[in-house]
Amino acid sequence: MRLIKLKNVVSGMTLAKGIYSCEGKVLLAEGVRLTGSYIDRLKEIGIYEIYIEDEISKDIHIRDIIDDQTRIAAKRTICQAVRDLRLKKSFDVPRVSEIVNRIVDDLLSNKNIMINLADLRSVDEYTFAHSVNVAVVAIVIGKALGYNQLRLRDLGIGAILHDIGKTEIPLEILNKPGRLEASEVEIMKKHPEYGYEILKRHRDISTLSRGIPLMHHERIDGSGYPYGKKGDEIHEFAKIVAIADTYDAMTSNRIYKQKVAPDKAIEYLVSTGNYNFDYNIVKLFLNHVTLYPVGTIVRLNTAQKGIVIDNNQYSPTRPIVRIIKDEKLHSSSEFEEIDLQKHLTVFIEEICDE
């Protein structure tokens, strides 16, 4: 299995991972042989990438960091919460708590966590998938910080609801495909306060959880919003979610912006540490995220092309790579596998589309 951009998909390829709507309905089932009409439909609904099964990746298994059914249920829960709030109704807080507990349980059962956010999403469903991913990444960081289960739950609830204030933002601004006008930016910047006010109406959501939507856009150097808080004025939960939010936003396709590769997002977080983010938390995050996810096509300094088949947890820049094209870019008949941790003169130069 490997991830491939939809523009590189051709008829006859086999879908390796099912595609679901935010309600959990199957849009395209795993194992389907893709046709031109299926590919066109995926373009229409805003799917930019899919997982395929082919000769070079047939024995590669890409596992999501949480159970597939947990992810589907979580996206459905957030989807419903957003709809309820748009209709000026209360959302189901016990259901959100239940789904966060499931995410926490999934992650606590995994001893050696490496963040691999393997969900497929359309650009129209960005909000729901993003909310779930931010909760997952935040809980991973909280676990690394030694939080107990109750604290992880409070962190997870605030994280999965961090953008809930956007339900008060007009859809024409929220879904605008181009750059926002200055006046629209100011309206968008109100969503942290809106989110806090929404959660404040629910007494069964803790004060710590409520503070996350309010403060997740604050920055260590005081350059954030809505209050320009800095350093220790920002709660640790909000510092964690700021990192999780930025990482997933950068590595996701959106209506107005194409995603960047994980290594570029990580480079940004490192370079802005102690300015925008708590650098100690960034360093902890780096121990649990892979720069080159399994299934990624890479070019080596030897001019060979390969596909990442596994990661070395303590050497994130040096995964195990299967060579699929030689230095002259001829397809390899036999797939040599190189552990870059053991071949120190060989390294990855860049991530490739194909």
Side-chain angles (χ1 to χ4, degrees), residues 219-277:
R219 295 295 180 256
I220 295 298
D221 63 356
S223 64
Y225 63 90
Y227 303 124
K229 291 183 178 293
K230 61 175 66 175
D232 291 339
E233 294 174 343
I234 307 168
H235 192 277
E236 187 170 77
F237 278 13
K239 292 177 182 178
I240 291 169
V241 172
I243 292 167
D245 178 35
T246 301
Y247 177 77
D248 188 66
M250 292 184 71
T251 55
S252 302
N253 288 310
R254 289 180 279 175
I255 291 173
Y256 55 88
K257 193 174 183 180
Q258 291 289 300
K259 74 175 191 176
V260 302
D263 61 321
K264 301 301 181 187
I266 291 166
E267 182 181 325
Y268 172 78
L269 289 171
V270 171
S271 66
T272 55
N274 276 349
Y275 295 96
N276 285 344
F277 308 103

Side-chain angles (χ1 to χ4, degrees), residues 57-72:
S57 66
K58 62 183 178 182
D59 60 346
I60 297 174
H61 303 287
I62 301 174
R63 293 181 176 85
D64 199 346
I65 191 170
I66 58 172
D67 180 76
D68 285 345
Q69 293 307 310
T70 299
R71 181 177 291 283
I72 291 167

Side-chain angles (χ1 to χ4, degrees), residues 115-174:
I115 292 169
N116 178 39
L117 304 173
D119 64 313
L120 295 172
R121 64 185 93 170
S122 72
V123 291
D124 291 337
E125 294 182 356
Y126 168 78
T127 297
F128 318 124
H130 173 65
S131 297
V132 176
N133 279 349
V134 169
V136 169
V137 175
I139 292 167
V140 169
I141 296 172
K143 180 183 175 186
L145 284 166
Y147 289 180
N148 62 30
Q149 195 156 355
L150 180 59
R151 200 162 174 80
L152 288 175
R153 177 182 171 278
D154 282 343
L155 172 62
I157 289 172
I160 207 167
L161 298 172
H162 76 285
D163 269 344
I164 205 69
K166 287 184 178 178
T167 57
E168 297 292 324
I169 304 297
L171 288 174
E172 59 268 24
I173 294 177
L174 203 59

